[in-house]
């Protein structure tokens, strides 16, 4: 099938660097706390929490940090209450952008994002202004594998797989959002190591830009993702 977008490749490599620097710990701790608060602290009954704990283990987050995050979410320990918000807008050269945030101060988050969007010639929009260009899907990213794409497809025939993309032997498997957890387990059973399993906004029709414009757009997306309250950035940039 098709290959990754340039932004997906950069985002994956950036995540590896951030993990080595411990930069991703803070954002993941917020996600774990919110997942525990909304779905309970027992991973066996909370698929979202289970996925996040696997992610924490994969980036070598200390177990003490992980358990404190869970207990803050369940109320066993005091902690800041973070609320999820999703924003939409247009970035440089008209690319569509969706941003997931976790924040304890919505006004601060909006002000930071509006400043960055405006500085790069874009603008924040109203809810619904760009999400019609995207579809909410489950996306499982794997670690490098020598398994062929045909073999992987054969092992996943019993599941509703929308697409499989390959980038230097890293696979991205796209599935129905409700099937994310069971497809993740099927991918692991097939012998692949899962790097991440997330619900993502996937562009229905990717937008092409020339190299110079695409570089500016990706610099903007990277800056946006580096904001403390921003958890995920999605775009229709090819």
């Amino acid at each position: 099938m098709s290959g990754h977008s340039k932004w997906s490749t950069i985002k994956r490599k950036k995540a590896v660097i951030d993990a080595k620097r411990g930069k991703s710990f803070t954002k993941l701790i917020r996600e774990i706390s919110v997942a525990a608060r909304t779905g309970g602290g027992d991973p066996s009954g909370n698929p979202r929490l289970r996925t996040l704990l696997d992610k924490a283990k994969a980036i070598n987050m200390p177990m003490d940090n992980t358990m404190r995050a869970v207990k803050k979410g369940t109320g066993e320990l005091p902690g800041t209450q973070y609320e999820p918000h999703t924003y939409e807008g247009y970035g440089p050269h008209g690319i569509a952008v969706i941003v997931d945030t976790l924040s304890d101060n919505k006004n601060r988050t909006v002000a930071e994002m509006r400043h960055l969007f405006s500085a790069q010639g874009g603008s924040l929009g109203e809810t619904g202004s760009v999400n019609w260009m995207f579809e909410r899907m489950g996306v499982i990213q794997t670690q490098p594998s020598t398994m062929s794409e045909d073999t992987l497809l054969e092992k996943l025939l019993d599941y509703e797989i929308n697409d499989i993309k390959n980038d230097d032997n890293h696979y991205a498997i796209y599935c129905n959002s409700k099937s994310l957890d069971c497809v993740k387990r099927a991918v692991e059973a097939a012998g692949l190591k899962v790097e991440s399993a997330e619900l993502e906004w996937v562009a229905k029709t990717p937008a092409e830009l020339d190299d110079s414009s695409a570089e500016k757009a990706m610099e903007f997306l990277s800056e946006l993702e580096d904001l403390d309250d921003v958890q995920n950035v999605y775009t229709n940039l090819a």
Side-chain angles (χ1 to χ4, degrees):
M1 297 184 186
S2 53
H4 283 226
S5 70
K6 291 178 183 177
W7 169 239
S8 294
T9 302
I10 289 172
K11 191 174 179 179
R12 175 171 53 76
K13 291 178 179 177
K14 185 174 178 296
V16 172
I17 294 170
D18 286 350
K20 287 179 179 178
R21 293 174 177 169
K23 188 176 180 182
S24 55
F25 284 13
T26 303
K27 294 189 177 188
L28 185 53
I29 283 170
R30 289 189 187 186
E31 283 194 271
I32 290 170
S33 292
V34 172
R37 189 179 82 217
T38 57
D42 180 5
S44 64
N46 186 339
R48 176 61 182 157
L49 179 60
R50 185 164 63 246
T51 296
L52 291 172
L53 294 182
D54 288 344
K55 187 175 180 179
K57 185 177 180 181
I59 64 172
N60 298 314
M61 182 186 289
M63 182 62 71
D64 285 349
N65 294 26
T66 306
M67 295 316 297
R68 277 199 302 272
V70 172
K71 289 180 179 179
K72 286 179 180 179
T74 58
E76 296 172 70
L77 289 175
T80 304
Q81 294 287 305
Y82 295 101
E83 298 296 336
H85 299 282
T86 298
Y87 301 93
E88 304 174 34
Y90 290 93
H93 305 289
I95 62 168
V97 182
I98 296 179
V99 187
D100 286 339
T101 67
L102 285 176
S103 174
D104 62 340
N105 186 327
K106 184 179 179 181
N107 291 335
R108 178 193 67 227
T109 306
V110 172
E112 289 178 344
M113 287 200 300
R114 182 170 288 120
H115 173 76
L116 184 55
F117 270 82
S118 297
Q120 297 293 336
S123 63
L124 276 178
E126 299 294 327
T127 300
S129 58
V130 305
N131 70 16
W132 56 273
M133 303 182 199
F134 296 78
E135 185 177 358
R136 193 72 163 160
M137 298 177 69
V139 182
I140 297 105
Q141 302 273 3
T142 74
Q143 293 183 13
S145 170
T146 57
M147 183 181 295
S148 72
E149 193 168 314
D150 287 343
T151 301
L152 178 56
L153 274 170
E154 186 177 337
K155 289 179 179 290
L156 298 177
L157 279 178
D158 292 336
Y159 300 88
E160 189 180 344
I161 305 300
N162 295 71
D163 197 5
I164 294 178
K165 297 183 179 181
N166 186 359
D167 178 38
D168 292 334
N169 296 319
H170 287 83
Y171 285 111
I173 298 101
Y174 295 76
C175 65
N176 184 286
S177 58
K178 295 179 181 178
S179 304
L180 177 61
D181 194 50
C182 67
V183 173
K184 172 180 176 283
R185 284 187 267 115
V187 170
E188 290 171 332
L192 294 179
K193 290 187 177 180
V194 171
E195 200 168 77
S196 66
E198 305 283 348
L199 292 176
E200 299 187 9
W201 290 100
V202 179
K204 296 176 183 176
T205 306
E208 298 279 354
L209 293 178
D210 62 65
D211 288 346
S212 176
S213 298
E215 184 176 353
K216 180 181 178 182
M218 284 186 281
E219 286 176 2
F220 161 75
L221 294 170
S222 186
E223 286 182 49
L224 186 57
E225 196 172 57
D226 281 340
L227 293 177
D228 289 343
D229 296 336
V230 170
Q231 295 296 122
N232 291 294
V233 176
Y234 310 104
T235 179
N236 66 342
L237 177 63

